[in-house]
Amino acid sequence: MLLVAPEKMAAYGVEITLAIRNARFYPSADGVRIRVFSLDKESEIVEQVAETETIYGQADSFFQEKLNLNFRFEKLQRFRAIIYVLNSSTNTVMGSMGSGDFDLSMMFACGGRLTLPITSSLSTITLEISGKVPEYYSQFLRLRFSGSYIHSRDGLPLQLYYILSIPAEDRTIMLHKSEMLKETKNPEWAAFSVPLFLLNYFNESSIQVFVYNYTPNHDDQLIGHCTTTLTQLQQGVGHFNSYMLMEASGKRIHEKTCVELKEMVLENGPTFFKMLENNVKLQLNTAIDFTASNGNPVNAGSLHYIHPHHPSAYLESLLHTTPPLLGYLPNPQNPYIGALGFGAKVQGPGGALQLSHCFCLNGAPTDPRVEGLAGLISAYRTATMGVQPFAPTDFSEVIYFVSKFAKAESRRHVGLYFILLIYSDGGPANALNMKRTIDAVVDASAHPMSIVAVGVGQDRDHSPMRNLEKLTLKHSDGRLLVRQNYTFVEASELESSDALAMIPVQMTQWKRMFHFNPQ
């Protein structure tokens, strides 16, 4: 089942199993039991979340008591397992063999299994931690729609496609964008699949279908829309799943102009956890806005203000968003992070200052990688004092920089999925920069890459960044957005937002579209 955390954020219900091997006992203490505690950011115990049964006299103990948790991709969930020894006569705790700390992200990134060596006074014990994800999350709903008597009000040539979406609280989630069919008023679009757990989570929400006519060199024409629900779709093919299209005003277009469900089948498909099990790793990149609108770093009002004891607004956003992702990177104990900047003058090859919308925070000419979170913080602080803030805001180049590696992954299939976290106080500053950025987002949508843009500064206008979430983005050359790959979130809302939680959904959508053939 889909578990829901108290904050109403979607979570994956997972089951954790514990076991120990090679345990040795004293004669007066021949039983073993494990208690699991949640930890805070400082690795201090918060509360006990589980306790196993007691097993006596066995060097290898496999506990039947499971730990049921809500797995949150966007949160750093750390736990401590303490192994206690007990007296079999009195069933009292005699002491501890040791403890091991683990986090769920690293466990699932290792294929759902962790092995921790724990040294006790008698021997080195092996603590095994295994995670199981219910098959429910691999279930997809295969749907197919057709249209009838669809026409353009302006008499334009028909090139019809539709977008299936859910209007969530913070954003509209694209479930599917169909292919474009030309010169037919009765399109028969291809079948597609959406994760059942996602539909179930938004069970009370409406599912919207917007039908568009592709228009070269202009915004695509909205033909009409209709609304349904999961409950309605589950009734299957028939007249109850035939929907008359409505104009934007709510007026019915024509009684024969409709969209109809033609197929609904439950099938299995790829999951985020299966991708991790198959050794898919995330490649994390950050891009920070250094434009002059952020203020002088030596002034207290600057979003880059350098203070010995308090993080700047940008650093605070970095510290909130990057740690939960580190466990999914290659070599998570010592990961490399791409650290980029934009919107400042930096020293060029000849020594002169040149405006750059994509430069390496570590000062290297082409390789932006730094070692871990500490390396990222150090590179950010060094760049803050070493670059000259300028204008305008344009982060299209950092998107293109990362997407060239995502395009290489589309060809080579090494097993990487790229994440770009963009931190800015405003977004594209003018129409030209906005168009460049739209082109970059659309260009990246067909490749293994997700973009999360964080709006820094509570008194700033972040609407240009939010506008890039539109599902009807179109490239200058006419290409349409293939899938939803861009998410915006205010820095002040990071604690409660589902922005980072959209990454696993986008990963499975990409996998489903380009690299999965159902059996």
Side-chain angles (χ1 to χ4, degrees), residues 424-426 455-458 460-467 488 490:
S424 176
D425 72 328
V456 182
Q458 296 187 8
R460 307 303 169 96
D461 178 17
H462 298 136
S463 57
M465 301 172 73
R466 188 178 294 278
N467 289 339
F488 169 76
E490 299 274 359

Side-chain angles (χ1 to χ4, degrees), residues 11 17 38 40 93 122 126 142 174 177 209 226 257 303 311-312 339 398 444 488:
T17 303
S38 60
D40 61 17
V93 175
L122 292 179
T126 300
R142 180 178 175 88
M174 182 195 291
K177 175 177 281 187
V209 181
C226 59
T257 302
L303 298 177
S312 68
V398 297
F488 169 76

Side-chain angles (χ1 to χ4, degrees), residues 97-397:
M97 286 187 176
S99 64
D101 292 357
F102 66 97
D103 65 74
L104 294 187
S105 61
M106 189 171 294
M107 182 192 68
F108 283 115
C110 294
R113 186 183 181 89
L114 274 181
T115 301
L116 303 178
I118 298 174
T119 302
S120 71
S121 58
L122 292 179
S123 63
T124 298
I125 307 164
T126 300
L127 173 63
E128 295 181 352
I129 307 164
S130 303
K132 180 180 180 182
V133 182
E135 286 296 318
Y136 167 74
Y137 294 106
S138 65
Q139 293 180 341
F140 283 69
L141 202 60
R142 180 178 175 88
L143 304 170
R144 184 169 63 85
F145 288 96
S146 68
S148 300
Y149 296 96
I150 299 176
H151 63 278
S152 168
R153 293 185 299 274
D154 301 328
L156 297 173
L158 291 181
Q159 302 181 79
L160 300 173
Y161 70 92
Y162 70 88
I163 295 175
L164 189 76
S165 61
I166 294 178
E169 183 177 349
D170 297 327
R171 62 186 47 82
T172 298
I173 299 174
M174 182 195 291
L175 298 175
H176 174 68
K177 175 177 281 187
S178 76
E179 77 279 20
M180 186 167 38
L181 297 181
K182 300 180 180 181
E183 300 178 356
T184 175
K185 296 181 179 180
N186 305 299
E188 294 278 347
W189 288 292
F192 64 96
S193 298
V194 293
L196 182 60
F197 83 88
L198 190 62
L199 294 177
N200 273 327
Y201 177 66
F202 293 104
N203 189 33
E204 300 301 322
S205 302
S206 60
I207 299 174
Q208 299 177 333
V209 181
F210 290 87
V211 179
Y212 292 91
N213 190 34
Y214 179 82
T215 308
N217 304 319
H218 291 87
D219 291 338
D220 293 340
Q221 180 188 47
L222 175 62
I223 300 294
H225 74 279
C226 59
T227 302
T228 184
T229 63
L230 175 60
T231 302
Q232 183 80 6
L233 290 173
Q234 287 175 327
Q235 296 186 51
V237 177
H239 66 277
F240 28 76
N241 271 314
S242 180
Y243 308 95
M244 287 185 288
L245 290 181
M246 316 291 286
E247 295 178 353
S249 63
K251 179 182 177 182
R252 188 171 63 189
I253 297 175
H254 190 277
E255 62 181 11
K256 290 186 178 181
T257 302
C258 66
V259 167
E260 182 178 354
L261 179 67
K262 304 295 288 187
E263 178 185 342
M264 188 192 72
V265 179
L266 188 65
E267 62 182 14
N268 288 333
T271 67
F272 167 69
F273 300 99
K274 196 66 177 178
M275 293 176 71
L276 295 179
E277 193 176 314
N278 291 334
N279 207 32
V280 172
K281 300 294 184 182
L282 300 188
Q283 192 69 50
L284 178 61
N285 300 271
T286 60
I288 300 174
D289 183 349
F290 284 94
T291 53
S293 60
N294 290 290
N296 191 323
V298 300
N299 296 331
S302 170
L303 298 177
H304 287 300
Y305 179 51
I306 299 174
H307 191 283
H309 305 298
H310 303 288
S312 68
Y314 276 91
L315 183 54
E316 194 171 357
S317 297
L318 277 171
L319 294 174
H320 198 107
T321 50
T322 53
L325 305 179
L326 298 181
Y328 304 100
L329 307 187
N331 189 21
Q333 300 292 350
N334 189 29
Y336 282 95
I337 304 171
L340 299 166
F342 58 93
K345 286 187 174 182
V346 298
Q347 196 170 52
L353 291 179
Q354 299 176 350
L355 174 61
S356 175
H357 293 298
C358 182
F359 56 88
C360 303
L361 297 189
N362 59 9
T366 58
D367 186 357
R369 291 178 299 171
V370 295
E371 292 189 26
L373 185 59
L376 176 61
I377 295 172
S378 176
Y380 162 67
R381 286 176 168 163
T382 301
T384 299
M385 297 304 296
V387 302
Q388 180 181 328
F390 212 72
T393 303
D394 180 2
F395 48 71
S396 62
E397 290 190 29

